[in-house]
Amino acid sequence: MICSMTGYAVKTRDLERGTLQLELKSVNSRYLDFHFRIADDLRALEMPLRELLASRLSRGKVECRLNFNAAAARAEQLRPNADLLAALRTMSDEVRAAHPEAQPLSVNEILRWPGMFGEQGIDYAALQPEVLALAGEALADFTATRAREGEKLAAMIVDRVRAMRDIVARVAPRIPEAQALFADKLRQRLVEAIGNASDDRILQEVAVFATRIDVAEELSRLTAHLDEVERVLKKGGAVGKRLDFLMQELNREANTLGSKSAVTEVSQASMDLKLLIEQMREQIQNLE
């Protein structure tokens, strides 16, 4: 299976004391890079989540959001903590005695004070099994979206590999004839330029130049690299880095093909190959 580094998933789970929500999303990155957005009360769960995600992912910039929304209090619970109210009043009186200019606490501030309605009784550490189970569900959906995207990208890469093979197959049979015609033109020019030079000297110069413009080796290496691209895609797994290296090799051969070209047809083939390689590179950047 080939996976894209782009993915998204969100899962929720209703518990007795509230609702857990975990969201995963990722974009491409050279390495595995985690960014956690977790409420302070759940911060202790970051390391178990990190270990779980790292066991299933190898590349990508992954953002994980974890929230817990406490359930609304029942009617009989909607009474403020009397002891806490008294303590707040005492502290407020002491502060204002020392600093008369200090403003008293507002009703809103008092009602939002931690523990005023008993919410401090939630044991967040005990939520770890629920959080990890929820993360497992989200990770399954997340991996599935990355796999679907990866399958599409792999198909586009295969299409471009086929297009490159067509270019090589079209150009390769034409190269000997084109080189022979170019060699004849070069021989005529040499004869016109140096006139009384021996035939052996002319033949030697033509042979040297023919070697310089021979692109059979470049075409052979191009075919070998394309074979390797298809082999890597069939094998699956984390293929992004290997394919990126192969794109560099393909581009090197395409550039050499263009620099050694002595005919327009080969020059055009070089340009077409480089365009397809660049398109594949853009798709490979998103593969894990």
Side-chain angles (χ1 to χ4, degrees), residues 53-77:
L53 296 175
S55 69
R56 297 281 299 276
L57 307 173
S58 60
R59 290 180 70 195
K61 182 178 180 180
V62 182
E63 181 177 310
C64 175
R65 291 180 179 269
L66 176 64
N67 294 304
F68 179 75
N69 297 317
R74 297 188 299 270
E76 61 270 21
Q77 293 178 324

Side-chain angles (χ1 to χ4, degrees), residues 56-123:
R56 297 281 299 276
L57 307 173
S58 60
R59 290 180 70 195
K61 182 178 180 180
V62 182
E63 181 177 310
C64 175
R65 291 180 179 269
L66 176 64
N67 294 304
F68 179 75
N69 297 317
R74 297 188 299 270
E76 61 270 21
Q77 293 178 324
L78 293 178
R79 290 176 180 247
N81 187 318
D83 292 337
L84 184 55
L85 277 174
L88 286 175
R89 182 183 182 109
T90 300
M91 288 187 291
S92 179
D93 290 342
E94 291 175 356
V95 170
R96 295 185 67 195
H99 301 280
E101 72 280 4
Q103 296 296 318
L105 290 171
S106 68
V107 173
N108 186 53
E109 289 171 330
I110 293 173
L111 294 178
R112 289 178 174 273
W113 198 272
M116 185 57 68
F117 292 98
E119 290 181 3
Q120 76 280 8
I122 297 176
D123 184 0

Side-chain angles (χ1 to χ4, degrees), residues 9 28 64 83 85 90 102 115 128 135 157 164 170-171 197 251 257 261 267 269 280:
N28 61 311
C64 175
D83 292 337
L85 277 174
T90 300
Q128 178 169 330
I157 293 170
M164 292 180 68
R170 184 176 68 250
V171 170
N251 198 58
L257 189 69
S261 172
S267 298
M280 285 194 290

